[in-house]
Coordinates of all heavy atoms in Angstrom, one line a residue:
L1009 N 19.4 -17.4 27.5 CA 18.6 -18.5 28.1 C 18.6 -19.8 27.2 O 18.3 -20.9 27.7 CB 17.1 -18.0 28.3 CG 16.9 -16.9 29.3 CD1 15.5 -16.4 29.3 CD2 17.4 -17.3 30.7
Q1022 N 9.6 -24.3 37.7 CA 9.1 -23.1 37.1 C 7.5 -23.2 36.9 O 6.9 -22.1 37.1 CB 9.7 -23.0 35.7 CG 9.5 -21.6 35.0 CD 10.2 -21.5 33.7 OE1 9.5 -21.3 32.7 NE2 11.5 -21.8 33.6
I1027 N 2.4 -16.0 37.4 CA 2.6 -14.6 37.2 C 1.3 -13.9 36.9 O 0.5 -14.3 36.0 CB 3.5 -14.4 35.9 CG1 4.9 -15.1 36.1 CG2 3.7 -12.9 35.7 CD1 5.7 -15.1 34.8
G1028 N 1.0 -13.0 37.7 CA -0.3 -12.2 37.5 C 0.1 -10.9 36.7 O 1.0 -10.2 37.1
V1029 N -0.7 -10.6 35.7 CA -0.5 -9.5 34.8 C -1.7 -8.6 34.9 O -2.8 -8.9 34.5 CB -0.2 -9.9 33.4 CG1 0.1 -8.7 32.5 CG2 1.0 -10.9 33.3
K1071 N -2.2 -23.3 31.3 CA -1.3 -22.2 31.1 C -1.9 -20.9 31.6 O -1.4 -20.2 32.5 CB -0.9 -22.1 29.6 CG 0.0 -20.9 29.3 CD 1.4 -21.2 29.9 CE 2.4 -20.1 29.5 NZ 3.7 -20.4 30.1
G1105 N -2.0 -5.9 26.7 CA -2.0 -7.0 27.7 C -1.5 -8.3 27.2 O -0.7 -9.0 27.8
S1106 N -2.0 -8.7 26.0 CA -1.5 -9.9 25.4 C 0.0 -9.9 25.1 O 0.7 -10.9 25.3 CB -2.3 -10.2 24.1 OG -3.7 -10.3 24.3
H1107 N 0.5 -8.8 24.7 CA 1.9 -8.6 24.4 C 2.7 -8.8 25.7 O 3.7 -9.5 25.7 CB 2.2 -7.3 23.8 CG 3.5 -7.2 23.0 ND1 4.7 -7.0 23.7 CD2 3.8 -7.3 21.7 CE1 5.6 -6.9 22.8 NE2 5.1 -7.1 21.6
T1108 N 2.4 -8.1 26.8 CA 3.1 -8.2 28.0 C 3.1 -9.6 28.6 O 4.1 -10.1 29.1 CB 2.7 -7.1 29.0 OG1 1.3 -7.3 29.3 CG2 2.9 -5.7 28.5
L1109 N 1.9 -10.2 28.6 CA 1.7 -11.5 29.2 C 2.6 -12.5 28.5 O 3.3 -13.3 29.1 CB 0.2 -11.9 29.1 CG -0.2 -13.2 29.7 CD1 -1.5 -13.1 30.3 CD2 -0.2 -14.3 28.6
T1110 N 2.5 -12.5 27.1 CA 3.3 -13.5 26.4 C 4.8 -13.2 26.4 O 5.6 -14.2 26.3 CB 2.8 -13.6 24.9 OG1 2.8 -12.4 24.3 CG2 1.4 -14.2 24.9
T1111 N 5.2 -12.0 26.6 CA 6.6 -11.7 26.8 C 7.1 -12.3 28.1 O 8.2 -12.9 28.2 CB 6.8 -10.2 26.9 OG1 6.5 -9.6 25.6 CG2 8.3 -9.8 27.2
A1112 N 6.3 -12.2 29.2 CA 6.7 -12.8 30.4 C 6.7 -14.3 30.4 O 7.7 -14.9 30.9 CB 5.7 -12.3 31.5
A1113 N 5.7 -14.9 29.9 CA 5.6 -16.4 30.1 C 4.9 -17.1 28.9 O 4.3 -18.2 29.1 CB 4.9 -16.7 31.4
G1114 N 5.0 -16.6 27.7 CA 4.4 -17.3 26.6 C 5.0 -18.6 26.3 O 6.2 -18.9 26.5
S1115 N 4.2 -19.6 25.9 CA 4.6 -20.9 25.5 C 5.4 -20.8 24.2 O 5.4 -19.8 23.5 CB 3.4 -21.9 25.3 OG 2.7 -22.0 26.5
R1131 N 8.9 -17.3 22.3 CA 8.7 -17.8 23.7 C 8.9 -16.7 24.7 O 9.6 -15.8 24.5 CB 9.6 -19.0 24.0 CG 11.1 -18.7 23.8 CD 12.0 -19.6 24.6 NE 12.1 -19.2 26.0 CZ 12.9 -19.7 26.8 NH1 13.8 -20.7 26.5 NH2 13.0 -19.3 28.1
G1132 N 8.1 -16.9 25.8 CA 8.3 -15.9 26.9 C 9.5 -16.2 27.7 O 10.2 -17.2 27.4
M1133 N 9.8 -15.4 28.7 CA 11.0 -15.6 29.5 C 10.9 -16.9 30.3 O 11.8 -17.6 30.5 CB 11.2 -14.4 30.4 CG 11.5 -13.1 29.7 SD 13.0 -13.2 28.6 CE 12.2 -13.5 27.0
A1134 N 9.7 -17.1 30.8 CA 9.4 -18.3 31.7 C 8.3 -19.1 31.0 O 7.2 -19.1 31.5 CB 9.1 -17.9 33.1
P1135 N 8.6 -19.9 30.0 CA 7.6 -20.6 29.2 C 6.8 -21.6 30.0 O 5.7 -22.0 29.5 CB 8.3 -21.1 28.0 CG 9.8 -21.3 28.5 CD 10.0 -20.1 29.4
Q1136 N 7.4 -22.1 31.1 CA 6.7 -23.1 31.8 C 5.9 -22.6 33.0 O 5.1 -23.3 33.6 CB 7.7 -24.1 32.4 CG 8.5 -24.9 31.4 CD 7.6 -25.8 30.5 OE1 6.7 -26.5 31.0 NE2 7.9 -25.8 29.2
A1137 N 6.0 -21.3 33.2 CA 5.2 -20.6 34.3 C 3.8 -20.5 33.9 O 3.4 -20.5 32.7 CB 5.8 -19.3 34.6
R1138 N 2.9 -20.4 34.9 CA 1.5 -20.1 34.6 C 1.2 -18.6 34.6 O 2.0 -17.8 35.2 CB 0.6 -20.8 35.7 CG 1.1 -22.2 36.2 CD 1.1 -23.2 35.1 NE 1.6 -24.5 35.6 CZ 0.9 -25.6 35.6 NH1 -0.3 -25.7 35.1 NH2 1.5 -26.7 36.1
V1139 N 0.1 -18.2 34.0 CA -0.2 -16.8 34.0 C -1.7 -16.6 34.4 O -2.5 -17.5 34.1 CB 0.0 -16.2 32.5 CG1 1.5 -16.1 32.2 CG2 -0.7 -17.0 31.5
V1169 N 4.3 -13.6 41.3 CA 4.9 -12.4 40.7 C 3.8 -11.6 40.1 O 2.8 -12.1 39.5 CB 5.9 -12.8 39.5 CG1 6.4 -11.6 38.8 CG2 7.0 -13.7 40.1
S1171 N 3.1 -8.4 37.5 CA 3.7 -7.6 36.5 C 2.7 -6.5 36.1 O 1.6 -6.8 35.7 CB 4.0 -8.5 35.2 OG 4.7 -7.8 34.2
I1405 N 10.1 -5.4 20.3 CA 9.9 -6.8 20.9 C 8.7 -7.5 20.3 O 7.6 -6.9 20.1 CB 9.6 -6.6 22.4 CG1 10.8 -5.9 23.1 CG2 9.4 -8.0 23.1 CD1 12.1 -6.5 23.0
L1406 N 9.0 -8.7 19.8 CA 8.0 -9.5 19.2 C 7.3 -10.3 20.3 O 7.9 -11.1 21.0 CB 8.6 -10.5 18.2 CG 7.7 -11.5 17.5 CD1 6.9 -10.7 16.4 CD2 8.4 -12.7 16.9
A1407 N 5.9 -10.2 20.3 CA 5.1 -11.0 21.3 C 3.7 -11.1 20.8 O 3.3 -10.5 19.8 CB 5.2 -10.5 22.7
G1408 N 2.8 -11.8 21.5 CA 1.5 -12.1 21.1 C 0.6 -10.8 21.0 O 0.9 -9.8 21.7
S1434 N 7.0 -0.7 28.9 CA 5.9 -1.8 29.1 C 6.4 -3.1 28.6 O 5.9 -4.1 29.1 CB 4.7 -1.4 28.2 OG 3.9 -0.5 28.8
M1435 N 7.4 -3.2 27.7 CA 7.9 -4.4 27.2 C 9.0 -4.9 28.0 O 9.2 -6.1 28.2 CB 8.4 -4.2 25.7 CG 7.3 -4.2 24.7 SD 6.2 -2.7 24.8 CE 4.7 -3.5 25.4
S1436 N 9.8 -4.0 28.6 CA 11.0 -4.5 29.4 C 10.5 -5.0 30.8 O 11.1 -5.9 31.3 CB 12.0 -3.3 29.6 OG 11.3 -2.2 30.2
C1437 N 9.4 -4.4 31.3 CA 8.9 -4.9 32.6 C 8.5 -6.4 32.6 O 9.0 -7.1 33.5 CB 7.7 -4.0 33.0 SG 6.6 -4.7 34.3
P1438 N 7.8 -6.9 31.6 CA 7.4 -8.3 31.7 C 8.6 -9.2 31.4 O 8.6 -10.4 31.8 CB 6.3 -8.5 30.6 CG 6.5 -7.3 29.7 CD 7.0 -6.2 30.5
H1439 N 9.7 -8.7 30.8 CA 10.9 -9.5 30.7 C 11.4 -9.9 32.1 O 11.7 -11.0 32.4 CB 12.0 -8.8 29.9 CG 11.9 -8.9 28.4 ND1 11.1 -8.0 27.7 CD2 12.4 -9.8 27.6 CE1 11.2 -8.4 26.4 NE2 12.0 -9.4 26.3
V1440 N 11.5 -8.8 32.9 CA 12.0 -9.0 34.3 C 11.0 -9.8 35.1 O 11.3 -10.7 35.9 CB 12.3 -7.7 34.9 CG1 12.5 -7.8 36.4 CG2 13.5 -7.0 34.3
S1441 N 9.7 -9.6 34.9 CA 8.7 -10.5 35.6 C 8.9 -11.9 35.3 O 8.8 -12.8 36.2 CB 7.2 -10.0 35.1 OG 7.0 -8.7 35.3
G1442 N 9.1 -12.3 34.0 CA 9.3 -13.7 33.7 C 10.6 -14.2 34.2 O 10.7 -15.3 34.7
L1443 N 11.7 -13.4 34.2 CA 13.0 -13.8 34.7 C 12.9 -13.9 36.2 O 13.5 -14.9 36.8 CB 14.1 -12.8 34.4 CG 14.3 -12.6 32.8 CD1 15.3 -11.5 32.6 CD2 14.7 -13.9 32.2
A1444 N 12.1 -13.1 36.9 CA 11.9 -13.3 38.3 C 11.2 -14.6 38.6 O 11.5 -15.2 39.7 CB 11.1 -12.1 38.9
A1445 N 10.3 -15.0 37.7 CA 9.6 -16.3 37.9 C 10.6 -17.4 37.8 O 10.5 -18.4 38.5 CB 8.5 -16.4 36.9
I1446 N 11.6 -17.3 36.9 CA 12.6 -18.3 36.8 C 13.4 -18.5 38.1 O 13.7 -19.5 38.7 CB 13.6 -18.1 35.6 CG1 12.8 -18.2 34.3 CG2 14.8 -19.0 35.7 CD1 13.7 -17.8 33.1

Side-chain angles (χ1 to χ4, degrees):
L1009 295 177
Q1022 192 181 120
I1027 303 173
V1029 181
K1071 179 68 174 181
S1106 297
H1107 198 280
T1108 57
L1109 180 146
T1110 54
T1111 297
S1115 300
R1131 49 158 284 189
M1133 297 301 96
Q1136 298 296 319
R1138 321 298 177 123
V1139 289
V1169 176
S1171 186
I1405 303 302
L1406 178 79
S1434 275
M1435 284 65 253
S1436 54
C1437 165
H1439 276 87
V1440 169
S1441 305
L1443 298 176
I1446 293 176

